[in-house]
Amino acid sequence: MTSDLSYELVGERFVLRPKGVWAIDQAANLDRSLQKAAGDQESRARRLEIDLSDLETLDTAGAFLLVRLEKAWRESGRDVTYVGAEDGRETLIERVRVALKDGESLPHPKKSNVFADVGQTVLSIIADARRIVTMLGSVILEILHVILHPGSARFYAIITQMEMIGLRAVPIVVLMSFIIGAILAQQSAFQLRYFGAEVFSVDLLGILALREISLLLTAIMVAGRSGSAITAELGSMQMREEIDALRVMGMDPVNVLILPRILALLIVLPLLSFIAALATLAGGMMMLWLYSGITPDAFIARLHDAVDMTSLLAGLYKSPFMALIIGLIACTEGMAVGGSAESLGRRTTASVVKAIFMVIVVDGLFAVFYAAIGF
């Protein structure tokens, strides 16, 4: 089966005669032939006549080529007529024409409006806050239920999550904190060397490590590592309707899935923060020994004078709040996943970004609060 195309200019009428088989396997060649024919005569013709008398086969692809040409001529203000078309082919062409018209009638994106964008952002923040508060209320109610009915507690699930979130994160947290401590010590000593006060880099490192850096970096690491995992796990279960299956079996998803993860975060994040603080100090001590000649004995003695238990507690007090925020955001985003892989990826990304943002915000609020009470 072959396809062909002939055309001629009769006065101001451009006559186009498709021949043979106009099907999808010939679409590329036909498209080139059609564009060449139209380009040769388009400037001189005032009307297009498409003669389908010699056409053997016409499928949707062939009809699309003809309707697209028809559309271009009509948009330039010229008439288009069909000759020799059977009823079935007229119906096919009309359906393709309607389909193209529907596609063109889709609304164009509205121009950006600052006030509309701000309003949508505010509404989105309010919706997120409502969902997180709802999740928090469900968790509190479930904790009260577990206190009143200890047999409903899932200790094995909590221990499993503590291993996944806490124990397996120790190596990366220690390595990251050790390197950060070394960098902070080197930079502090380098800058203070101009004033002959390198020893004060121990004070700077101790305060930063215990009050801010160790906890903040650990919380960010947990949000990126464990928060995303929680969202992905719950989201996958939501996509496979496993959470609905739990409800059908009379089991509360908050008790089975959410509470163990949040309790595990509340337990392990302070421990990870303490380990991170020790690793940060160890990294700084090693760097100051090598870079500034401050021996470990001198480092520990100076650190003892520079910081006290208040500095350590100032950091540890913040960790449960950060753990709760990470857990609530991760679980809320996981439960909001739809039925597509795109939704899962979008929610996982949102979980990490929102958790890290809120961790930094909470750290800033605590800094202001500590400064106000002189802690």
Side-chain angles (χ1 to χ4, degrees):
M1 296 185 295
T2 60
S3 58
D4 195 8
L5 177 66
S6 64
Y7 54 91
E8 62 177 339
L9 183 65
V10 182
E12 294 185 346
R13 182 166 52 93
F14 178 46
V15 181
L16 192 68
R17 295 188 178 89
K19 299 179 181 179
V21 177
W22 277 51
I24 190 169
D25 56 344
Q26 302 289 333
N29 295 330
L30 292 172
D31 185 28
R32 287 191 292 267
S33 301
L34 205 57
Q35 290 183 9
K36 181 178 182 302
D40 290 343
Q41 306 295 336
E42 188 172 4
S43 60
R44 292 180 289 172
R46 293 293 177 266
R47 185 163 61 91
L48 174 64
E49 181 180 303
I50 302 177
D51 187 355
L52 304 180
S53 304
D54 298 330
L55 198 59
E56 297 178 11
T57 303
L58 179 68
D59 68 357
T60 307
F64 168 77
L65 296 176
L66 296 176
V67 172
R68 188 180 63 179
L69 178 64
E70 170 194 342
K71 173 179 173 296
W73 280 66
R74 291 190 186 280
E75 286 180 348
S76 62
R78 292 173 287 185
D79 294 332
V80 180
T81 57
Y82 286 87
V83 178
E86 300 174 356
D87 292 341
R89 290 174 180 171
E90 288 181 353
T91 302
L92 175 61
I93 291 173
E94 179 60 28
R95 291 188 177 181
V96 172
R97 187 184 294 121
V98 171
L100 289 179
K101 183 178 180 181
D102 291 342
E104 293 173 355
S105 62
L106 292 175
H108 296 288
K110 295 181 179 179
K111 294 183 178 180
S112 178
N113 186 299
V114 175
F115 297 103
D117 293 342
V118 171
Q120 291 177 356
T121 302
V122 172
L123 291 177
S124 176
I125 293 173
I126 293 174
D128 288 343
R130 184 186 300 115
R131 291 190 293 117
I132 292 174
V133 171
T134 302
M135 180 67 70
L136 176 61
S138 301
V139 170
I140 292 175
L141 290 177
E142 194 59 37
I143 291 175
L144 295 176
H145 180 267
V146 169
I147 293 175
L148 297 176
H149 305 86
S152 63
R154 300 181 178 274
F155 295 106
Y156 179 77
I158 295 174
I159 294 173
T160 301
Q161 292 299 322
M162 288 175 61
E163 177 189 1
M164 298 293 295
I165 298 172
L167 185 60
R168 298 190 181 185
V170 170
I172 185 63
V173 169
V174 170
L175 178 61
M176 176 191 68
S177 300
F178 187 88
I179 295 174
I180 292 296
I183 295 172
L184 287 175
Q186 190 274 332
Q187 290 295 312
S188 301
F190 178 77
Q191 298 298 328
L192 293 173
R193 176 175 293 178
Y194 294 103
F195 306 98
E198 286 183 76
V199 68
F200 288 104
S201 58
V202 179
D203 302 53
L204 178 61
L205 178 64
I207 294 173
L208 279 177
L210 296 180
R211 296 182 68 97
E212 294 293 338
I213 295 297
S214 298
L215 171 64
L216 186 60
L217 291 179
T218 303
I220 291 174
M221 177 64 70
V222 170
R225 179 184 178 275
S226 302
S228 61
I230 292 172
T231 302
E233 290 169 0
L234 297 180
S236 298
M237 297 181 70
Q238 189 83 338
M239 291 172 59
R240 294 195 295 264
E241 300 182 353
E242 295 177 13
I243 295 179
D244 293 334
L246 288 175
R247 294 191 179 99
V248 171
M249 291 187 293
M251 304 173 70
D252 187 359
V254 177
N255 178 271
V256 177
L257 302 174
I258 296 175
L259 187 60
R261 288 168 168 81
I262 291 182
L263 290 179
L265 279 168
L266 289 171
I267 295 172
V268 302
L269 189 57
L271 298 176
L272 286 175
S273 300
F274 179 73
I275 294 172
L278 295 180
T280 303
L281 294 175
M285 181 174 63
M286 185 201 70
M287 178 57 66
L288 290 177
W289 187 15
L290 297 176
Y291 186 76
S292 300
I294 301 176
T295 63
D297 293 339
F299 181 93
I300 294 174
R302 183 67 191 182
L303 183 66
H304 184 270
D305 295 333
V307 300
D308 53 15
M309 186 59 66
T310 302
S311 300
L312 177 62
L313 295 178
L316 294 181
Y317 285 159
K318 297 184 284 188
S319 56
F321 295 91
M322 294 184 177
L324 182 62
I325 288 172
I326 294 171
L328 288 175
I329 292 176
C331 294
T332 301
E333 294 296 330
M335 298 296 286
V337 171
S340 64
E342 179 186 1
S343 175
L344 177 61
R346 186 171 62 251
R347 291 294 179 178
T348 303
T349 303
S351 171
V352 175
V353 174
K354 292 177 182 178
I356 293 176
F357 174 77
M358 289 306 302
V359 160
I360 295 174
V361 169
V362 169
D363 185 72
L365 293 176
F366 266 99
V368 174
F369 175 69
Y370 286 162
I373 64 175
F375 184 63

